[in-house]
Amino acid sequence: PGVQLVGGESRCAGELEVKHQGEWRTVEAYSLWTLKTAGVACRELDCGSAVSVGRRKESSGRDVWEIRSLCVESGSALRECAAASSSYSSFLTLTCSDKLFQPNISVSSSMYGVSGPQQQGFKAFRGSTFTISCSIQPQYPGGSFLLSSSTHNYTQPAVNHSAHFLFPAAEPTHQGNYSCVYHVSAFSQNFSSESRLLSVTVTGVPSDPKPFIIRAVVLPLTQLLVTVGLYFYYKVRKHVVVVPLTE
């Protein structure tokens, strides 16, 4: 876009540089910009809103662009408001809020082997254990996740930019559309971003399916073993020769 911030901790902080007439130059800080003016630059950079405006001095002067705030606030692009200035030693610095990434939401169940952030919906068996996980790309340290539905709200701090919400026994009350909302404070401001929705439904299977699993596996196996045993029993008996006892 012909605008960039350099020398800061991220692409959304640092000295303001503008490309005008094919040349990149730092912007002079003769007239300190307001947050309103700086907000125009932040939007051109797709960096959210302006958080702070300052100046940085250095001993040696260099050629800069002079950009008047009134020109910028009138709706003109930064490069259209640039005029050449030379041997200046005070440079404009900006810090923008940056835009938060969208959190990811996923669900997993160790019992049934279901997982993956690509899922649009999840069906849990009543009484089963499942976990909804929230995560976000590293951008700011700390923060917290709110797992929210129409009936439930759970909050956990973000650890390594993620949080895991365990549901030890699924119940019909856990049904609903869940989303992860990431909250973080940075530059003395609060920011938040919400994930897509994840639908959770709970089926009416009894709370402990193990007896049914055992019965479905063990009983047929027992019947098979009994059948095989009887087969060999009668087969062996058929070939047995009975020898009468004599004195």
Side-chain angles (χ1 to χ4, degrees), residues 111-161:
M111 181 180 296
Y112 301 101
V114 180
S115 65
Q118 76 283 355
Q119 290 176 246
Q120 296 300 317
F122 172 69
K123 182 179 291 185
F125 292 102
R126 187 171 182 176
S128 66
T129 300
F130 68 96
T131 301
I132 296 179
S133 298
C134 303
S135 62
I136 195 167
Q137 296 183 48
Q139 194 172 10
Y140 296 112
S144 63
F145 284 101
L146 170 68
L147 181 65
S148 177
S149 73
S150 58
T151 56
H152 294 84
N153 288 294
Y154 310 94
T155 302
Q156 284 190 25
V159 179
N160 293 326
H161 308 287

Side-chain angles (χ1 to χ4, degrees), residues 4 6-7 14-18 23-29 55-66 83-93:
Q4 63 185 11
V6 298
E15 287 185 9
L16 178 63
E17 289 189 351
V18 174
E23 183 180 358
W24 283 99
R25 290 189 188 182
T26 304
V27 175
E28 56 87 11
R55 65 175 67 194
R56 190 185 70 80
K57 293 184 178 182
E58 65 178 39
S59 56
S60 60
R62 49 183 159 128
D63 292 344
V64 297
W65 294 122
E66 178 184 349
S85 181
S86 59
S87 299
Y88 214 83
S89 58
S90 184
F91 311 108
L92 188 68
T93 61

